[in-house]
Amino acid sequence: MLYPTIGIPRAGKGIFHHYTQFFCIRCLQRAGATVEVLPARLSPDAADTVLTRCDGFLFSGGPDIRPEYYGENRLPACGESDPERDESELLLLRAALENYRPLFCIGRGMQLLNILFGGTLMQDMGPNQEYRHLDLLHHTTATHPVDIDPDSLLFRILGSDTASVNSLHHQAVRDVGEGLWIPADSPEGHAEALQMDDHPFCLAVQWHPELMTARTPAQQKLFQAFVKACRPAASGHSSFSL
Ligand SMILES: [Mn+2]
């Protein structure tokens, strides 16, 4: 199939989350995908139906995930959550993993992946950062560097062991989920990407490539690689090559 169908759960509340999702959809379409925006509330049966229609899934940015999902009480600095979106997306992400669908997890999506594998988050990174990780004003600009592991999927896609990325997060990975590892980090050592090796294609980044492509065209390569992995002829839903 020339134009794979990629499912993206609807952003739900928050105008900025809709804004970032719009850019995700545009980047996927430019990479040659048909995008299906999925209902924000999915029942298990609806998730099964969606799996038959979609070749891959993109989990986009959004509100803080309920800390109860990683065994913590909510701290005052944790942002408001959308419990229904948390539940729906965890259900769909689990189903997509079990069915070997290619995945692209951005921002909140990366944190969701970590939690699904038993990882935890810092509920708030606090004000004392060497680099400002919540920099909404410069959301289209590369504001902090990341180091990229030469053995990672990210390195294969970007062709470089460094990158400069935007940063729109106040939470970060604390404990990495079992089966995941950190292929890219910030100078202070915060996880800026996650990788799981036991899956056809799972790309997870903390930054927002969808907002960067105008100024930093190389970030569009992430969408191209993902869409390529979603073509059934290329992936067979079981393996892929770049
Ligand atoms: Mn960052």
Side-chain angles (χ1 to χ4, degrees):
M1 194 192 302
L2 205 53
Y3 302 101
T5 299
I6 291 169
I8 172 166
R10 189 177 294 280
K13 302 167 192 163
I15 188 73
F16 191 73
H17 304 141
H18 280 278
Y19 171 80
T20 61
Q21 192 164 77
F22 167 80
F23 281 92
C24 286
I25 292 168
R26 202 169 70 163
C27 288
L28 289 172
Q29 288 170 337
R30 284 182 174 172
T34 301
V35 179
E36 181 174 338
V37 180
L38 307 172
R41 319 287 174 234
L42 281 176
S43 66
D45 282 351
D48 284 345
T49 308
V50 157
L51 273 169
T52 64
R53 286 204 307 268
C54 296
D55 301 298
F57 295 92
L58 187 150
F59 291 85
S60 65
D64 292 349
I65 298 160
R66 286 181 70 205
E68 289 82 356
Y69 279 112
Y70 46 96
E72 289 188 10
N73 294 319
R74 175 178 297 271
L75 300 176
C78 183
E80 192 183 342
S81 299
D82 180 344
E84 287 181 303
R85 185 175 169 193
D86 289 348
E87 193 181 332
S88 276
E89 288 195 347
L90 282 165
L91 178 84
L92 183 63
L93 180 57
R94 183 188 298 275
L97 284 161
E98 286 170 356
N99 288 276
Y100 300 106
R101 292 295 193 278
L103 296 168
F104 193 2
C105 302
I106 296 177
R108 164 196 160 90
M110 180 183 111
Q111 297 175 353
L112 202 70
L113 181 74
N114 190 45
I115 289 170
L116 190 64
F117 283 88
T120 64
L121 303 180
M122 289 178 211
Q123 291 192 36
D124 185 66
M125 298 165 78
N128 300 319
Q129 298 291 326
E130 185 181 347
Y131 293 91
R132 188 194 290 249
H133 286 271
L134 182 61
D135 193 349
L136 293 169
L137 191 61
H138 302 107
H139 61 270
T140 63
T141 312
T143 58
H144 76 67
V146 292
D147 278 329
I148 299 172
D149 190 304
D151 286 328
S152 65
L153 177 59
L154 262 177
F155 180 89
R156 294 206 297 280
I157 295 170
L158 291 175
S160 173
D161 61 1
T162 58
S164 215
V165 299
N166 60 359
S167 202
L168 305 174
H169 58 114
H170 82 112
Q171 298 194 322
V173 167
R174 192 177 57 207
D175 302 308
V176 182
E178 196 178 337
L180 304 175
W181 60 280
I182 300 173
D185 63 0
S186 72
E188 317 96 305
H190 293 304
E192 288 285 341
L194 290 176
Q195 184 165 332
M196 63 178 298
D197 289 333
D198 190 19
H199 190 78
F201 184 100
C202 182
L203 188 61
V205 296
Q206 184 61 73
W207 69 89
H208 286 268
E210 75 278 13
L211 301 178
M212 294 184 68
T213 53
R215 290 174 191 261
T216 315
Q219 291 289 324
Q220 177 65 15
K221 290 180 184 174
L222 301 184
F223 293 92
Q224 286 165 339
F226 171 55
V227 170
K228 185 177 174 191
C230 290
R231 286 191 188 116
S235 73
H237 290 320
S238 60
S239 63
F240 79 98
S241 60
L242 285 171

